[in-house]
Amino acid sequence: MGLMVPQETRTPTPSPPIRTGSTAPEPPAPRAWPARLVVAGIVLAALNLRPAITSLGALLEEVRDGLGMSGSVAGLLTSVPPLCFAVFGVTAPRLARRFGPAAVVCAGMVAITAGLAVRPYIGGTAGFLAASALALMGIAVSNVLMPVIVKRWFPDRVGSMTGLYSMALALGTSVAAAATVPMTDALGGDWHSGLVVWAGLAAAAVVPWILLVRARGTGDRDGAASGAAGTRDRTPTARTEPAPSSPPATAAGTPQPTTASTSASTSASTAAAVAPSLPGHEPDDGALRITRSRTAWALAVFFGLQATAAYITMGWMAQIFRDAGVAAGTAGLLLAVTMVMGVPLAFVIPRLATRLPRQGPIVVVLGLCGLAGYAGLYLAPAAGAWAWALLLGISNCAFPLALTMVGMRARTGTGVAKLSAFAQSAGYLISIPGPLLVGVLYQHSGGWGLPLALMAGLMVPQIGVGILAGRDRTVEDEATA
């Protein structure tokens, strides 16, 4: 696992290949601008992965009144995000192998733009749900493919790039929560206008991905970086050794293996016009049965429970504060504070996590902050509102930690793609009942005592499975054992 195999070649991406005396002259190394374009695309995509949800949370009362929703139907609405993420997220690896991750993310940004543009004006609860589902479908595939793209382009900087992505995600989440109510007021107090403005941000995110897809060409299948090219990746903890040299490049500038033992995969990669791939040689796709890995299951449950807490927070926290007597604008700002905590912490936590052999201690700290925040919301929701918002913001940083562990718990590109799809799809399935149940309990109990007890109770198993998911092992070793 941590040893260099002589017949394997590792091709750092996007670093220029190293010339050897036995190889033919290589074409010039690719320019740095594609990598910069990827970074811009990742940041803009991440900014758009939550405004569809938090902008609605800030105006949930107005939307409920406008569409005539009951508390239970509103709970269903807040359950639509994890449902879409589970249903559509599982298709992301297959789409990526067929079209390439960049093309799939580009299509996802288009879907987000279209969904947010038509959602406020389509009319009726059913149409509102359908348009929301369209936007969330784009979010779902992008959610799954972001770790794959990070691992493929920045294999030696998984922690820092995941942190950058998570920071942008948290920034988009918090800005949407804070700005939606003031923008709605500035646009005449119409909630339709307050929601539609976020389609503009999504449209801006389409641009770098279109440029990247066009630059890499229709024959470029970045999805091969998730395993189809037959190459091994290093873990983010850098337990493998670099290869002594890099192979020659194809005419397209794609590094390819040259040893006899890898000639078959070279031919397959060349025939498929595969893009620069992850370092090393991967096992066959069929050899990795992700459902046989206990770590994969622990990570999926951890992902599901943190997603439950996150979507309950995004969908209902502003309403909790409003019911406690806090003004609508202040309630939106409190939600924004909760979300903005992820901006600095989403950069710090992944970097810290990659330096620790086990991530259990981080899981425990985040869980305890969540328990304290829920207790505060129950005991003094208005008096200590800012403190509870800060504590729940820290607790919600379990999301970037989960993304980091996806990269750390898989050794290969195939493992990252499969683990990302499995953990997110299964995790979002687990999280579906949470927001809906909160809405039902709120409607039938007439208060927030029972919903908050549910939220605090779910934090305990989240801590337990997070400790299991944070153990120093990889899914390849477990799934193929």
Side-chain angles (χ1 to χ4, degrees):
M1 182 171 70
L3 299 177
M4 180 184 68
V5 181
Q7 296 298 324
E8 297 173 351
T9 12
R10 293 169 170 30
T11 57
T13 313
S15 302
I18 303 173
R19 298 179 183 274
T20 64
S22 60
T23 61
E26 301 168 355
R31 289 177 295 174
W33 73 264
R36 297 192 184 103
L37 198 59
V38 172
V39 172
I42 288 173
V43 170
L44 283 172
L47 286 172
N48 282 279
L49 295 183
R50 294 298 180 269
I53 303 166
T54 53
S55 62
L56 177 60
L59 294 174
L60 184 58
E61 184 172 314
E62 288 76 10
V63 174
R64 286 177 59 190
D65 293 340
L67 298 178
M69 291 183 185
S70 66
S72 297
V73 174
L76 175 63
L77 180 61
T78 57
S79 291
V80 170
L83 174 62
C84 290
F85 294 166
V87 171
F88 298 114
V90 73
T91 66
R94 182 176 298 178
L95 291 172
R97 286 193 296 270
R98 176 66 178 86
F99 302 104
V104 176
V105 172
C106 182
M109 296 299 110
V110 172
I112 296 171
T113 304
L116 294 183
V118 304
R119 178 170 72 169
Y121 303 107
I122 198 169
T125 300
F128 192 91
L129 288 170
S132 296
L134 175 61
L136 293 166
M137 176 178 65
I139 295 173
V141 294
S142 301
N143 268 339
V144 172
L145 294 180
M146 284 296 109
V148 178
I149 290 173
V150 167
K151 185 86 167 181
R152 178 253 182 270
W153 276 92
F154 310 100
D156 298 322
R157 290 180 285 164
V158 170
S160 58
M161 289 305 301
T162 300
L164 178 64
Y165 156 68
S166 300
M167 284 177 62
L169 188 149
L171 182 62
T173 305
S174 58
V175 168
T180 298
V181 171
M183 284 195 303
T184 301
D185 293 338
L187 294 171
D190 184 5
W191 63 266
H192 302 81
S193 302
L195 292 181
V196 77
V197 294
W198 299 106
L201 180 63
V206 176
V207 177
W209 292 104
I210 286 180
L211 294 175
L212 188 64
V213 171
R214 292 185 61 184
R216 301 190 67 77
T218 58
D220 179 7
R221 292 294 178 263
D222 284 349
S226 65
T231 53
R232 182 191 299 268
D233 191 11
R234 292 177 293 177
T235 64
T237 49
R239 287 179 293 181
T240 56
E241 300 174 7
S245 63
S246 296
T250 64
T254 303
Q256 299 290 343
T258 55
T259 60
S261 64
T262 56
S263 60
S265 62
T266 303
S267 301
S269 301
T270 305
V274 176
S277 48
L278 289 169
H281 177 75
E282 290 185 4
D284 183 77
D285 251 3
L288 181 58
R289 299 182 182 274
I290 200 71
T291 54
R292 296 177 58 183
S293 168
R294 294 181 180 180
T295 297
W297 280 105
L299 190 51
V301 176
F302 177 72
F303 199 99
L305 292 175
Q306 68 81 28
T308 300
Y311 288 106
I312 290 173
T313 299
M314 286 186 280
W316 289 107
M317 197 177 86
Q319 191 66 48
I320 294 174
F321 286 126
R322 292 179 72 170
D323 287 350
V326 177
T330 305
L333 188 59
L334 285 165
L335 177 59
V337 168
T338 298
M339 300 297 109
V340 83
M341 288 299 297
V343 176
L345 293 180
F347 189 74
V348 172
I349 288 176
R351 292 173 67 88
L352 176 62
T354 55
R355 285 165 170 75
L356 297 176
R358 297 172 179 263
Q359 289 71 50
I362 304 177
V363 171
V364 172
V365 171
L366 298 180
L368 292 176
C369 287
L371 289 172
Y374 293 137
L377 283 178
Y378 177 76
L379 296 172
W386 296 102
W388 317 141
L390 289 171
L391 286 170
L392 291 174
I394 296 172
S395 178
N396 278 349
C397 288
F399 176 71
L401 176 62
L403 290 182
T404 305
M405 288 196 289
V406 167
M408 296 184 69
R409 297 288 86 84
R411 186 174 63 252
T412 65
T414 297
V416 172
K418 287 194 171 186
L419 181 57
S420 179
F422 175 74
Q424 295 199 45
S425 297
Y428 285 128
L429 277 175
I430 292 170
S431 70
I432 290 170
L436 175 59
L437 187 55
V438 165
V440 172
L441 291 175
Y442 171 57
Q443 179 178 352
H444 291 283
S445 68
W448 289 105
L450 288 178
L452 287 171
L454 171 67
M455 295 153 70
L458 292 176
M459 190 60 65
V460 177
Q462 177 179 321
I463 294 172
V465 294
I467 292 173
L468 294 178
R471 294 175 299 176
D472 187 14
R473 56 193 63 189
T474 63
V475 294
E476 287 88 354
D477 295 333
E478 294 181 342
T480 58

